[in-house]
Amino acid sequence: MKLYNIDGCGYCAMVRNQLAQMDIEYEKIDVPWSHHERKQVYEVSGQTTVPVLVDGDNILADEYEIIDYLKKTYPVIS
């Protein structure tokens, strides 16, 4: 699982917090602030905004969509 991220991005922080809360391991890929320099994100998702989560064949590009996906795909077992 990979998260394309900017540390100063509040939306990215929401996703990082959810991943931490669920104790899910992931690779954090920090991207540049400048949209035109985010070639790596564009190649994966077709857009330059973050966060973008890649989990196998699933590519999600909206923080709420990502959080919903994580909750549905990786339910917490008590």
Side-chain angles (χ1 to χ4, degrees), residues 4-9 11-12 29-52:
Y4 292 85
N5 169 78
I6 293 175
D7 282 342
C9 166
Y11 302 115
C12 297
I29 301 169
D30 292 317
V31 301
W33 271 100
S34 177
H35 280 265
H36 74 274
E37 294 179 24
R38 298 182 192 168
K39 292 175 178 64
Q40 201 174 14
V41 177
Y42 186 80
E43 288 170 5
V44 169
S45 66
Q47 64 178 31
T48 59
T49 58
V50 289
V52 170

Side-chain angles (χ1 to χ4, degrees), residues 21-33:
Q21 189 175 21
M22 297 177 76
D23 199 28
I24 297 173
E25 290 187 25
Y26 65 98
E27 177 185 356
K28 184 174 73 131
I29 301 169
D30 292 317
V31 301
W33 271 100

Side-chain angles (χ1 to χ4, degrees), residues 16-24 71 76:
R16 289 193 316 269
N17 290 340
Q18 186 66 45
L19 287 161
Q21 189 175 21
M22 297 177 76
D23 199 28
I24 297 173
K71 288 179 178 179
V76 177

